[in-house]
Short mmCIF file of all heavy atoms in Angstrom, two decimals:
data_model
loop_
_atom_site.label_atom_id
_atom_site.label_comp_id
_atom_site.label_asym_id
_atom_site.label_seq_id
_atom_site.Cartn_x
_atom_site.Cartn_y
_atom_site.Cartn_z
N VAL C 1 19.81 -47.22 -0.93
CA VAL C 1 18.65 -46.33 -0.95
C VAL C 1 18.44 -45.91 -2.40
O VAL C 1 19.38 -45.50 -3.07
CB VAL C 1 18.90 -45.09 -0.07
CG1 VAL C 1 17.73 -44.14 -0.15
CG2 VAL C 1 19.17 -45.50 1.36
N THR C 2 17.23 -46.01 -2.85
CA THR C 2 16.92 -45.61 -4.22
C THR C 2 15.87 -44.51 -4.20
O THR C 2 15.07 -44.40 -3.26
CB THR C 2 16.38 -46.81 -5.04
OG1 THR C 2 15.22 -47.31 -4.40
CG2 THR C 2 17.43 -47.89 -5.15
N PHE C 3 15.91 -43.69 -5.21
CA PHE C 3 14.98 -42.58 -5.32
C PHE C 3 14.25 -42.70 -6.65
O PHE C 3 14.85 -43.07 -7.67
CB PHE C 3 15.72 -41.25 -5.25
CG PHE C 3 16.48 -41.08 -3.96
CD1 PHE C 3 17.83 -41.38 -3.89
CD2 PHE C 3 15.84 -40.63 -2.83
CE1 PHE C 3 18.53 -41.23 -2.71
CE2 PHE C 3 16.53 -40.47 -1.64
CZ PHE C 3 17.88 -40.78 -1.58
N LYS C 4 12.97 -42.37 -6.63
CA LYS C 4 12.17 -42.49 -7.85
C LYS C 4 12.47 -41.34 -8.82
O LYS C 4 12.41 -41.53 -10.02
CB LYS C 4 10.68 -42.48 -7.50
CG LYS C 4 10.27 -43.71 -6.73
CD LYS C 4 8.79 -43.68 -6.40
CE LYS C 4 8.42 -44.90 -5.56
NZ LYS C 4 7.03 -44.91 -5.18
N THR C 5 12.77 -40.17 -8.26
CA THR C 5 13.04 -39.01 -9.12
C THR C 5 14.28 -38.28 -8.64
O THR C 5 14.73 -38.46 -7.51
CB THR C 5 11.86 -38.01 -9.09
OG1 THR C 5 11.76 -37.46 -7.77
CG2 THR C 5 10.55 -38.67 -9.49
N GLU C 6 14.78 -37.45 -9.51
CA GLU C 6 15.93 -36.63 -9.14
C GLU C 6 15.54 -35.65 -8.04
O GLU C 6 16.33 -35.35 -7.15
CB GLU C 6 16.44 -35.86 -10.37
CG GLU C 6 17.68 -35.06 -10.09
CD GLU C 6 18.21 -34.33 -11.32
OE1 GLU C 6 17.72 -34.57 -12.44
OE2 GLU C 6 19.12 -33.52 -11.14
N GLY C 7 14.30 -35.18 -8.08
CA GLY C 7 13.81 -34.26 -7.06
C GLY C 7 13.84 -34.89 -5.68
O GLY C 7 14.21 -34.23 -4.70
N GLU C 8 13.45 -36.15 -5.57
CA GLU C 8 13.51 -36.86 -4.29
C GLU C 8 14.95 -36.95 -3.81
O GLU C 8 15.23 -36.78 -2.63
CB GLU C 8 12.92 -38.26 -4.41
CG GLU C 8 11.41 -38.32 -4.50
CD GLU C 8 10.91 -39.75 -4.59
OE1 GLU C 8 11.72 -40.70 -4.51
OE2 GLU C 8 9.69 -39.92 -4.74
N PHE C 9 15.84 -37.26 -4.73
CA PHE C 9 17.25 -37.36 -4.38
C PHE C 9 17.78 -36.03 -3.86
O PHE C 9 18.43 -35.96 -2.82
CB PHE C 9 18.07 -37.82 -5.60
CG PHE C 9 19.55 -37.74 -5.38
CD1 PHE C 9 20.20 -38.66 -4.58
CD2 PHE C 9 20.31 -36.73 -5.98
CE1 PHE C 9 21.57 -38.58 -4.36
CE2 PHE C 9 21.67 -36.64 -5.76
CZ PHE C 9 22.30 -37.57 -4.96
N LEU C 10 17.50 -34.93 -4.59
CA LEU C 10 17.98 -33.61 -4.19
C LEU C 10 17.38 -33.20 -2.84
O LEU C 10 18.07 -32.59 -2.01
CB LEU C 10 17.66 -32.58 -5.27
CG LEU C 10 18.41 -32.77 -6.59
CD1 LEU C 10 17.93 -31.77 -7.63
CD2 LEU C 10 19.91 -32.68 -6.39
N SER C 11 16.13 -33.55 -2.63
CA SER C 11 15.49 -33.24 -1.35
C SER C 11 16.19 -33.98 -0.21
O SER C 11 16.44 -33.42 0.85
CB SER C 11 14.01 -33.62 -1.41
OG SER C 11 13.40 -33.42 -0.17
N ALA C 12 16.51 -35.24 -0.44
CA ALA C 12 17.21 -36.04 0.59
C ALA C 12 18.60 -35.47 0.85
O ALA C 12 19.04 -35.41 2.00
CB ALA C 12 17.30 -37.49 0.15
N VAL C 13 19.27 -35.03 -0.20
CA VAL C 13 20.61 -34.44 -0.04
C VAL C 13 20.50 -33.16 0.78
O VAL C 13 21.32 -32.92 1.69
CB VAL C 13 21.25 -34.16 -1.42
CG1 VAL C 13 22.49 -33.29 -1.29
CG2 VAL C 13 21.59 -35.48 -2.11
N ASP C 14 19.51 -32.32 0.48
CA ASP C 14 19.33 -31.08 1.23
C ASP C 14 19.06 -31.34 2.70
O ASP C 14 19.60 -30.67 3.57
CB ASP C 14 18.18 -30.25 0.63
CG ASP C 14 18.54 -29.62 -0.70
OD1 ASP C 14 19.75 -29.54 -1.02
OD2 ASP C 14 17.61 -29.22 -1.43
N LYS C 15 18.22 -32.34 2.98
CA LYS C 15 17.92 -32.68 4.37
C LYS C 15 19.17 -33.15 5.10
O LYS C 15 19.42 -32.78 6.24
CB LYS C 15 16.84 -33.76 4.44
CG LYS C 15 15.46 -33.25 4.11
CD LYS C 15 14.43 -34.38 4.20
CE LYS C 15 13.06 -33.89 3.75
NZ LYS C 15 12.07 -34.97 3.76
N LYS C 16 19.95 -33.98 4.44
CA LYS C 16 21.18 -34.51 5.05
C LYS C 16 22.16 -33.36 5.30
O LYS C 16 22.79 -33.29 6.37
CB LYS C 16 21.80 -35.56 4.12
CG LYS C 16 22.94 -36.31 4.71
CD LYS C 16 22.48 -37.26 5.78
CE LYS C 16 23.59 -38.19 6.20
NZ LYS C 16 23.17 -39.14 7.19
N ALA C 17 22.29 -32.46 4.34
CA ALA C 17 23.21 -31.33 4.49
C ALA C 17 22.75 -30.42 5.63
O ALA C 17 23.56 -29.97 6.44
CB ALA C 17 23.30 -30.55 3.18
N ALA C 18 21.44 -30.16 5.71
CA ALA C 18 20.91 -29.31 6.77
C ALA C 18 21.17 -29.95 8.13
O ALA C 18 21.52 -29.26 9.10
CB ALA C 18 19.42 -29.06 6.57
N SER C 19 21.01 -31.24 8.21
CA SER C 19 21.24 -31.96 9.46
C SER C 19 22.71 -31.83 9.87
O SER C 19 23.02 -31.57 11.04
CB SER C 19 20.88 -33.43 9.30
OG SER C 19 21.26 -34.18 10.42
N ARG C 20 23.60 -32.00 8.93
CA ARG C 20 25.03 -31.88 9.24
C ARG C 20 25.40 -30.46 9.63
O ARG C 20 26.21 -30.24 10.51
CB ARG C 20 25.87 -32.34 8.05
CG ARG C 20 25.82 -33.85 7.89
CD ARG C 20 26.69 -34.33 6.77
NE ARG C 20 26.65 -35.79 6.71
CZ ARG C 20 27.09 -36.49 5.71
NH1 ARG C 20 27.63 -35.88 4.67
NH2 ARG C 20 27.00 -37.80 5.73
N GLU C 21 24.79 -29.46 8.96
CA GLU C 21 25.06 -28.06 9.29
C GLU C 21 24.59 -27.76 10.71
O GLU C 21 25.27 -27.07 11.47
CB GLU C 21 24.37 -27.13 8.30
CG GLU C 21 25.03 -27.11 6.94
CD GLU C 21 24.25 -26.28 5.91
OE1 GLU C 21 23.25 -25.63 6.29
OE2 GLU C 21 24.64 -26.31 4.74
N ARG C 22 23.39 -28.27 11.06
CA ARG C 22 22.87 -28.07 12.41
C ARG C 22 23.81 -28.69 13.45
O ARG C 22 24.12 -28.08 14.47
CB ARG C 22 21.48 -28.69 12.57
CG ARG C 22 20.34 -27.76 12.27
CD ARG C 22 19.00 -28.32 12.73
NE ARG C 22 18.75 -29.70 12.36
CZ ARG C 22 18.26 -30.10 11.18
NH1 ARG C 22 17.98 -29.21 10.26
NH2 ARG C 22 18.05 -31.37 10.93
N LYS C 23 24.26 -29.90 13.17
CA LYS C 23 25.15 -30.59 14.11
C LYS C 23 26.47 -29.83 14.25
O LYS C 23 27.01 -29.69 15.35
CB LYS C 23 25.40 -32.02 13.67
CG LYS C 23 24.19 -32.92 13.87
CD LYS C 23 24.45 -34.32 13.36
CE LYS C 23 23.20 -35.18 13.49
NZ LYS C 23 23.41 -36.52 12.93
N ALA C 24 27.00 -29.34 13.14
CA ALA C 24 28.26 -28.59 13.18
C ALA C 24 28.08 -27.28 13.95
O ALA C 24 28.94 -26.90 14.75
CB ALA C 24 28.76 -28.31 11.77
N ALA C 25 26.96 -26.59 13.72
CA ALA C 25 26.69 -25.34 14.42
C ALA C 25 26.53 -25.59 15.92
O ALA C 25 27.03 -24.84 16.75
CB ALA C 25 25.44 -24.67 13.86
N GLU C 26 25.84 -26.66 16.26
CA GLU C 26 25.65 -27.01 17.67
C GLU C 26 26.99 -27.34 18.33
O GLU C 26 27.26 -26.92 19.46
CB GLU C 26 24.69 -28.19 17.80
CG GLU C 26 24.33 -28.52 19.22
CD GLU C 26 23.29 -29.62 19.32
OE1 GLU C 26 22.40 -29.68 18.46
OE2 GLU C 26 23.39 -30.40 20.28
N ALA C 27 27.84 -28.07 17.62
CA ALA C 27 29.15 -28.42 18.17
C ALA C 27 29.99 -27.15 18.38
O ALA C 27 30.65 -27.00 19.41
CB ALA C 27 29.87 -29.39 17.24
N ALA C 28 29.94 -26.24 17.42
CA ALA C 28 30.69 -24.99 17.54
C ALA C 28 30.16 -24.15 18.70
O ALA C 28 30.95 -23.59 19.48
CB ALA C 28 30.61 -24.19 16.23
N ARG C 29 28.84 -24.08 18.83
CA ARG C 29 28.23 -23.33 19.92
C ARG C 29 28.62 -23.93 21.27
O ARG C 29 28.99 -23.22 22.20
CB ARG C 29 26.71 -23.33 19.74
CG ARG C 29 25.96 -22.47 20.69
CD ARG C 29 24.47 -22.33 20.35
NE ARG C 29 23.83 -23.53 19.83
CZ ARG C 29 23.46 -23.72 18.57
NH1 ARG C 29 23.65 -22.79 17.67
NH2 ARG C 29 22.89 -24.84 18.19
N THR C 30 28.59 -25.25 21.35
CA THR C 30 28.95 -25.94 22.59
C THR C 30 30.41 -25.67 22.95
O THR C 30 30.75 -25.41 24.11
CB THR C 30 28.71 -27.45 22.46
OG1 THR C 30 27.32 -27.67 22.18
CG2 THR C 30 29.09 -28.19 23.71
N GLU C 31 31.28 -25.69 21.95
CA GLU C 31 32.70 -25.43 22.18
C GLU C 31 32.92 -24.01 22.69
O GLU C 31 33.66 -23.78 23.65
CB GLU C 31 33.50 -25.66 20.90
CG GLU C 31 34.98 -25.42 21.07
CD GLU C 31 35.77 -25.61 19.77
OE1 GLU C 31 35.19 -26.08 18.78
OE2 GLU C 31 36.95 -25.27 19.78
N ILE C 32 32.27 -23.05 22.06
CA ILE C 32 32.42 -21.65 22.47
C ILE C 32 31.91 -21.45 23.89
O ILE C 32 32.55 -20.81 24.71
CB ILE C 32 31.68 -20.72 21.48
CG1 ILE C 32 32.42 -20.69 20.15
CG2 ILE C 32 31.55 -19.31 22.06
CD1 ILE C 32 31.65 -20.03 19.03
N LEU C 33 30.73 -22.02 24.17
CA LEU C 33 30.16 -21.87 25.51
C LEU C 33 31.04 -22.52 26.57
O LEU C 33 31.21 -21.98 27.66
CB LEU C 33 28.74 -22.44 25.56
CG LEU C 33 27.68 -21.64 24.78
CD1 LEU C 33 26.34 -22.36 24.81
CD2 LEU C 33 27.55 -20.23 25.32
N SER C 34 31.62 -23.67 26.24
CA SER C 34 32.49 -24.32 27.22
C SER C 34 33.75 -23.50 27.47
O SER C 34 34.26 -23.44 28.58
CB SER C 34 32.84 -25.74 26.78
OG SER C 34 33.68 -25.74 25.66
N LYS C 35 34.26 -22.82 26.44
CA LYS C 35 35.42 -21.94 26.62
C LYS C 35 35.08 -20.75 27.51
O LYS C 35 35.94 -20.22 28.19
CB LYS C 35 35.94 -21.45 25.27
CG LYS C 35 36.68 -22.52 24.49
CD LYS C 35 37.20 -22.00 23.18
CE LYS C 35 37.94 -23.09 22.42
NZ LYS C 35 38.45 -22.61 21.12
N LEU C 36 33.80 -20.34 27.47
CA LEU C 36 33.35 -19.24 28.32
C LEU C 36 33.00 -19.72 29.73
O LEU C 36 32.65 -18.92 30.59
CB LEU C 36 32.12 -18.56 27.70
CG LEU C 36 32.36 -17.79 26.41
CD1 LEU C 36 31.05 -17.34 25.81
CD2 LEU C 36 33.26 -16.59 26.67
N GLY C 37 33.06 -21.02 29.94
CA GLY C 37 32.75 -21.58 31.25
C GLY C 37 31.26 -21.80 31.47
O GLY C 37 30.81 -21.93 32.59
N VAL C 38 30.50 -21.84 30.38
CA VAL C 38 29.06 -22.03 30.48
C VAL C 38 28.76 -23.52 30.36
O VAL C 38 29.01 -24.13 29.34
CB VAL C 38 28.31 -21.25 29.37
CG1 VAL C 38 26.82 -21.53 29.41
CG2 VAL C 38 28.58 -19.77 29.52
N GLU C 39 28.27 -24.08 31.45
CA GLU C 39 27.97 -25.51 31.46
C GLU C 39 26.47 -25.78 31.54
O GLU C 39 26.03 -26.89 31.27
CB GLU C 39 28.67 -26.18 32.66
CG GLU C 39 30.18 -26.05 32.62
CD GLU C 39 30.83 -26.78 31.46
OE1 GLU C 39 30.30 -27.81 31.03
OE2 GLU C 39 31.87 -26.31 30.98
N SER C 40 25.69 -24.77 31.95
CA SER C 40 24.25 -24.99 32.10
C SER C 40 23.51 -23.72 31.72
O SER C 40 24.10 -22.68 31.47
CB SER C 40 23.92 -25.36 33.55
OG SER C 40 24.14 -24.24 34.40
N VAL C 41 22.20 -23.82 31.72
CA VAL C 41 21.36 -22.67 31.39
C VAL C 41 21.55 -21.57 32.43
O VAL C 41 21.58 -20.38 32.10
CB VAL C 41 19.87 -23.11 31.31
CG1 VAL C 41 18.96 -21.91 31.11
CG2 VAL C 41 19.67 -24.10 30.18
N ASP C 42 21.71 -21.97 33.70
CA ASP C 42 21.94 -20.98 34.75
C ASP C 42 23.23 -20.20 34.51
O ASP C 42 23.28 -18.98 34.71
CB ASP C 42 22.00 -21.65 36.13
CG ASP C 42 20.64 -22.21 36.55
OD1 ASP C 42 19.61 -21.72 36.05
OD2 ASP C 42 20.63 -23.14 37.39
N ASP C 43 24.27 -20.90 34.05
CA ASP C 43 25.53 -20.23 33.73
C ASP C 43 25.33 -19.25 32.59
O ASP C 43 25.88 -18.15 32.60
CB ASP C 43 26.60 -21.24 33.34
CG ASP C 43 27.05 -22.12 34.48
OD1 ASP C 43 26.80 -21.75 35.65
OD2 ASP C 43 27.65 -23.17 34.21
N LEU C 44 24.54 -19.65 31.61
CA LEU C 44 24.27 -18.78 30.46
C LEU C 44 23.48 -17.55 30.89
O LEU C 44 23.78 -16.44 30.47
CB LEU C 44 23.52 -19.56 29.38
CG LEU C 44 23.29 -18.84 28.06
CD1 LEU C 44 24.61 -18.41 27.43
CD2 LEU C 44 22.53 -19.72 27.10
N ASP C 45 22.50 -17.75 31.76
CA ASP C 45 21.73 -16.61 32.28
C ASP C 45 22.63 -15.65 33.05
O ASP C 45 22.52 -14.43 32.90
CB ASP C 45 20.58 -17.10 33.18
CG ASP C 45 19.49 -17.81 32.41
OD1 ASP C 45 19.41 -17.63 31.17
OD2 ASP C 45 18.70 -18.55 33.05
N SER C 46 23.52 -16.21 33.85
CA SER C 46 24.46 -15.39 34.62
C SER C 46 25.37 -14.59 33.69
O SER C 46 25.61 -13.40 33.90
CB SER C 46 25.29 -16.29 35.53
OG SER C 46 26.28 -15.54 36.17
N LEU C 47 25.87 -15.25 32.65
CA LEU C 47 26.73 -14.58 31.68
C LEU C 47 25.96 -13.46 30.97
O LEU C 47 26.48 -12.36 30.77
CB LEU C 47 27.27 -15.58 30.65
CG LEU C 47 28.17 -15.01 29.57
CD1 LEU C 47 29.44 -14.41 30.15
CD2 LEU C 47 28.52 -16.08 28.55
#
């Protein structure tokens, strides 16, 4: 992958980092909810 400018490169890096942060946050949230016994939206509403 090549970038025409440093700005394009930094933008791509930011997008990739944001994507990884979202995935990590989602994984952490899923782990916490599973520890609480929440498997579905109904379980979350009940909690």
